Amino acid sequence: MPSPAANIADLIRRSDQFLVASHANPDGDAIGSTIALGHILASLGKEFCLYNTSDLPRQYDWLELPGTMHSTLAGAEFHWAFVLDCGAPQRVGDELYKVMASIPVANIDHHLGNPQFGQFNWVDEKYSAVAAMIADLADELEIPLVGPLAEAIYLGIATDTGFFTFDNTTPEIMELAARLIRLGLSPGAVNGKIRNQWAVNRFKLWGESLATTELFYDGKVAVVQVTQGMFARTGTTPADCEEIVNFLRRLRGTRAAVILREEEDGSYKFSLRSSGADNVQTVAALFGGGGHRNASGGNIRENILSAKMHLVEALGESLGLV
Ligand code: 5GP
Ligand code: MN
């Protein structure tokens, strides 16, 4: 039986006019895999439209794009939509989600519990990053992993593995990174481009947010908040919150880290982080969210105190702390 990468390669060869999209508030893997697939389509001479409802975050403006990143679908025509790194179809945002009912979707993802929402589904949680799936696709299509394509793939695999520090740092992902380096990618330069992009505003947001840190269960669970007021005072956006929750894991003895980020509609986007056998995916799922065993998230429509209490209680139960 052909591999899923071979099937996708076949789909690309047979068809044309593709939409390439990922989730709102995109992280490095969402952007990296979108751009990487764009480069693949460009090198095959295919027509495509890159889309993200939240646009390209400024921190990724150093990437060499194969085409414009659109934040609206107005005027776009396509025969297939590639939806990347989306554990749930709604994560693409309302505009595309509505359109997805009437066009074929190729769902390429690595999240546990992905409901296989595409006409074509390549969902494999053994991959540490969707960008690594796109690298397999490039291999299948015999497109060399060099230049801007390699940088986009590296962005996805480096960020989704926490720069090769999380438990999803598999031999396979290290081998892919090694291959990119052998083919000419310069890790010092590209890591600098990925990491050294902060505005001082972000430092100020982090300062305000980290000052809210609360510890529960003898420090085994740590919680921080970000409010709309903090964004307003520091001139920042939700994209500036990326990594705050990972930073909480620096606290000695912390097994689970939580960030609660106030949305414009007053609900709270939460992110959970753990390591090893400590499962935070099941906790996120209790609140209608999802993700991976050690990195999950969702949205709670409660006031801050009850949202925090419910998450902390669920984590206490799940990690056996009560
Ligand atoms: P983050 O907390 O950084 O936004 O996401 C961590 C992981 O949880 C990601 O893999 C992401 O896809 C998943 N995740 C975050 N928010 C949601 C959500 O609302 N629903 C689902 N199903 N997964 C989410
Ligand atoms: Mn990912």
Side-chain angles (χ1 to χ4, degrees):
M1 219 174 72
S3 68
N7 284 327
I8 292 277
D10 206 43
L11 165 70
I12 290 175
R13 286 192 203 98
R14 275 190 285 112
S15 193
D16 206 344
Q17 289 195 306
F18 302 96
L19 182 78
V20 185
S22 185
H23 57 81
N25 299 316
D27 59 10
D29 191 32
I31 291 298
S33 54
T34 301
I35 302 299
L37 183 50
H39 281 297
I40 289 173
L41 295 170
S43 68
L44 295 170
K46 299 287 178 177
E47 281 184 43
F48 59 91
C49 167
L50 306 177
Y51 170 82
N52 194 289
T53 184
S54 311
D55 224 330
L56 183 74
R58 206 173 61 106
Q59 73 192 101
Y60 301 124
D61 63 6
W62 52 271
L63 280 162
E64 223 174 281
L65 305 194
T68 309
M69 176 76 85
H70 298 271
S71 58
T72 161
L73 293 173
E77 268 186 44
F78 40 90
H79 294 144
W80 270 91
F82 283 105
V83 173
L84 309 176
D85 201 34
C86 289
Q90 299 85 347
R91 299 204 70 214
V92 295
D94 290 343
E95 189 187 20
L96 176 56
Y97 183 61
K98 286 191 196 115
V99 176
M100 275 163 58
S102 55
I103 45 146
V105 168
N107 164 21
I108 305 181
D109 184 39
H110 67 140
H111 290 95
L112 280 175
N114 181 302
Q116 313 266 331
F117 55 82
Q119 272 62 38
F120 188 96
N121 299 284
W122 180 18
V123 177
D124 189 344
E125 67 268 4
K126 288 190 294 299
Y127 280 92
S128 315
V130 172
M133 304 171 82
I134 304 302
D136 280 2
L137 179 62
D139 286 344
E140 189 66 42
L141 290 160
E142 299 181 342
I143 295 168
L145 299 179
V146 296
L149 169 61
E151 291 202 347
I153 288 170
Y154 186 87
L155 168 64
I157 67 177
T159 53
D160 257 26
T161 57
F163 294 87
F164 309 99
T165 62
F166 301 156
D167 278 321
N168 63 358
T169 307
T170 57
E172 290 75 20
I173 209 76
M174 296 296 260
E175 278 155 6
L176 174 56
R179 196 147 70 88
L180 297 175
I181 294 167
R182 254 188 220 105
L183 290 170
L185 180 116
S186 162
V190 75
N191 280 309
K193 287 193 271 191
I194 297 171
R195 299 173 69 114
N196 303 341
Q197 291 288 347
W198 290 23
V200 70
N201 306 49
R202 187 181 289 210
F203 270 53
K204 295 189 171 154
L205 174 74
W206 278 51
E208 285 203 31
S209 169
L210 292 175
T212 70
T213 304
E214 285 178 273
L215 300 179
F216 299 88
Y217 307 112
D218 266 342
K220 293 193 180 62
V221 172
V223 183
V224 288
Q225 294 171 43
V226 172
T227 62
Q228 287 290 320
M230 291 180 193
F231 288 138
R233 274 192 298 280
T234 59
T236 51
T237 68
D240 293 299
C241 297
E242 204 186 337
E243 297 290 319
I244 293 181
V245 67
N246 297 328
F247 193 70
L248 277 195
R249 298 299 317 282
R250 298 288 180 94
L251 289 163
R252 187 164 171 149
T254 297
R255 282 172 55 190
V258 182
I259 183 170
L260 281 155
R261 191 187 81 207
E262 186 183 7
E263 301 274 69
E264 277 175 20
D265 66 4
S267 68
Y268 284 87
K269 158 86 177 95
F270 67 85
S271 298
L272 310 176
R273 297 291 186 271
S274 65
S275 44
D278 289 338
N279 191 336
V280 291
Q281 193 269 343
T282 49
V283 175
L286 289 175
F287 298 89
H292 311 276
R293 186 180 58 192
N294 298 140
S296 65
N299 195 281
I300 301 190
R301 197 165 287 283
E302 290 175 29
N303 70 49
I304 182 67
L305 287 176
S306 73
K308 190 177 7 176
M309 188 183 74
H310 286 138
L311 273 172
V312 167
E313 276 175 7
L315 284 166
E317 294 275 340
S318 169
L319 305 187
L321 304 174
V322 284

